[in-house]
Amino acid sequence: MEEPYINIHQDLIEECRKGDSKAQLRIYKLYYKAMYNTCFRIVNDSAEAEDILQESFLDAFRKINSYTGEGSFGKWVKRIVVNNSLDALKKKRSTLPIEEKQLDLPDEPVRDYNEDEIQFQLQEVKDAIEILPREYKVIITLYLIEGYDHEEISEILKISNNLSRTRYSRARQKLLSIVKENRVKNTYIYN
């Protein structure tokens, strides 16, 4: 059996298990910003992200005795936030079929970039992610931004590992396509 993760906030976690509201507030303050960002990236609505976040922390404190110490407490809370965010998306959306066609885009040659180019390209990608269909946005967010692997994503989304990989591949191709289309549009605008 794997050794339990030694959490630097273990004393606060133990106080939360006893129902100490001051410890709960301290835990909330420690994890609020990171969890809000995770939630917002999934639901893309500030007010909804706040609501989901509040409910997620309430869930975490209600279920704190199920935290076994396997992995960090932050990762455990993040899983609750991600699941609640995805549940909120499921409740408010009507699922549209995802296109089955996979795009074949050539790889671009590698070159050196300066810091301004990197920041510009990062913003291009962030803007393109906002345009993606919801299923693609979720998988890109979970994989690229939140750092989940396909096994974890398949558990979270309740899909097969292969489907997670396929959706990610399609989402990545769609993201590249959007970035390229936007570059072409911007070239015409600025020239």
Side-chain angles (χ1 to χ4, degrees):
M1 188 171 135
E2 191 176 308
E3 289 275 330
Y5 180 86
I6 306 301
N7 197 305
I8 60 172
H9 302 111
Q10 192 62 42
D11 57 331
L12 286 174
I13 295 166
E14 293 306 321
E15 291 302 313
C16 288
R17 285 185 172 156
K18 296 175 186 172
D20 184 325
S21 60
K22 288 181 183 178
Q24 290 174 345
L25 181 59
R26 287 184 59 204
I27 287 283
Y28 176 82
K29 286 180 179 180
L30 285 168
Y31 291 97
Y32 167 81
K33 187 172 184 171
M35 297 307 151
Y36 172 81
N37 289 337
T38 296
C39 187
F40 181 76
R41 282 190 292 263
I42 294 171
V43 299
N44 200 32
D45 180 276
S46 183
E48 186 174 12
E50 285 284 347
D51 291 344
I52 294 167
L53 187 65
Q54 299 304 319
E55 190 60 39
S56 296
F57 272 101
L58 289 173
D59 288 347
F61 294 135
R62 280 191 289 259
K63 300 174 185 177
I64 199 160
N65 288 326
S66 69
Y67 171 63
T68 61
E70 292 179 29
S72 75
F73 183 74
K75 185 175 180 180
W76 182 77
V77 172
K78 186 181 208 179
R79 188 65 168 265
I80 294 170
V81 170
V82 167
N83 286 337
N84 285 350
S85 299
L86 293 172
D87 287 346
L89 279 181
K90 287 175 190 172
K91 287 177 187 173
K92 77 175 195 178
R93 75 164 193 244
S94 59
T95 305
L96 299 174
I98 294 177
E99 60 202 48
E100 294 299 316
K101 186 175 99 175
Q102 188 162 351
L103 304 171
D104 292 322
L105 299 174
D107 291 332
E108 291 185 10
V110 177
R111 67 180 185 93
D112 290 332
Y113 294 94
N114 68 37
E115 186 64 31
D116 289 338
E117 285 177 303
I118 291 170
Q119 290 304 315
F120 175 74
Q121 290 176 350
L122 184 59
Q123 190 57 51
E124 280 183 308
V125 171
K126 287 179 180 178
D127 293 345
I129 288 172
E130 295 305 315
I131 299 170
L132 286 173
R134 218 168 251 168
E135 281 81 9
Y136 288 168
K137 182 178 178 181
V138 167
I139 203 107
I140 286 285
T141 299
L142 292 175
Y143 188 81
L144 290 180
I145 299 173
E146 299 304 326
Y148 287 107
D149 62 28
H150 288 291
E151 186 175 313
E152 293 169 317
I153 293 170
S154 66
E155 289 175 23
I156 291 168
L157 297 178
K158 296 175 181 37
I159 60 175
S160 72
N161 201 325
N162 285 340
L163 184 55
S164 174
R165 290 177 190 281
T166 300
R167 281 190 186 170
Y168 171 73
S169 176
R170 291 177 182 159
R172 183 178 171 274
Q173 293 300 323
K174 182 70 174 173
L175 183 64
L176 289 172
S177 175
I178 291 169
V179 168
K180 287 182 180 192
E181 286 174 23
N182 287 342
R183 283 184 181 171
V184 169
K185 287 178 189 174
N186 290 335
T187 301
Y188 290 120
I189 291 171
Y190 293 118
N191 288 334

